[in-house]
Amino acid sequence: MTIPAAASKSEQAYAAIKASILSGEYSPGYRLVLAKIAEDLGVSVVPVREAIRRLEAESFVVFERNVGATVAGIEPTEYLYTMQTLSIVEGAATALSAPLISAEDIARARTVNALMRDCLENFDPVRFTSLNRDFHSVLFEHCPNPHILDLVHRGWNRLQALRSSTFSYVPGRAKESVAEHEALLVLLETGAPADDVERAARAHRAATLDAYLAHSRTDSAPALS
């Protein structure tokens, strides 16, 4: 991650720690030792502490008794509820955005989806996940209802800490996701009814959850770890 030189030390620490969480370098449960991070970043402990408090507020970090700050994960039940909620609010946001999405937006989203398709050959779940958010942002960011849009951002932020491993956990969803993206773009560029757009967006999100649930029933490995 490129951090502007003018950024405060707290902002630099925040960006660096968050990048390490999103890349998987700091995996769920990883203990964040303030002194070590401060030494690695060449700053004092104070901006690192401020950065970790900010990450805690964003649900990337939790504090555990007798342990300290650790990277947060998502329990299976919480993942279920978060994905169910996101499927509803993101579906609504995409449908409300539909009349405001331009041909240029469609082209931009299709370019991102093409990059996602290229990513399938030598699968990189971290890059794929980043591109996936870029794709969906094009479709929901025009939502005229700020309250719904805020809920969408909250849902994505809650999932962001673990999404670098989500497609690793259910890699078969990656190829299906790209195909569903294209189908959604066709609906948007042909002026499909808002209800059809919302159903497609909700089904797309729900399909990832269904893949997770199906896998978790047949695999005893720790969820999304």
Side-chain angles (χ1 to χ4, degrees), residues 23 31 75 94 101 134 136 147 151 167 190 193 202-203 217:
S23 71
R31 185 183 177 194
E75 294 299 320
T94 302
I101 294 175
D134 290 345
H136 284 286
H147 298 290
L151 290 172
F167 285 108
T190 57
R202 288 183 63 173
R217 285 193 291 267

Side-chain angles (χ1 to χ4, degrees), residues 17-135:
I17 298 168
K18 185 174 181 179
S20 293
I21 292 173
L22 296 179
S23 71
E25 179 183 353
Y26 295 168
S27 58
Y30 181 90
R31 185 183 177 194
L32 299 170
V33 180
L34 274 64
K36 178 64 167 61
I37 294 174
E39 180 182 355
D40 291 343
L41 297 179
V43 299
S44 71
V45 171
V46 174
V48 173
R49 183 180 293 111
E50 292 173 352
I52 288 178
R53 284 174 178 167
R54 181 175 169 186
L55 290 164
E56 181 191 17
E58 296 176 358
S59 299
F60 286 102
V61 171
V62 295
F63 279 89
E64 298 182 27
R65 184 186 296 273
N66 300 322
V67 175
T70 61
V71 176
I74 290 187
E75 294 299 320
T77 300
E78 187 175 354
Y79 178 78
L80 168 65
Y81 293 156
T82 303
M83 286 290 282
Q84 286 176 336
T85 302
L86 190 56
S87 71
I88 295 169
V89 296
E90 188 177 358
T94 302
L96 290 170
S97 294
L100 305 174
I101 294 175
S102 67
E104 290 75 16
D105 292 325
I106 296 290
R108 183 156 55 98
R110 189 164 271 134
T111 296
V112 174
N113 203 40
L115 293 174
M116 296 178 73
R117 187 178 294 108
D118 293 341
C119 196
L120 295 174
E121 186 171 348
N122 296 300
F123 191 54
D124 179 349
V126 174
R127 174 166 168 74
F128 189 89
T129 293
S130 177
L131 290 169
N132 186 54
R133 179 160 189 167
D134 290 345
F135 174 88

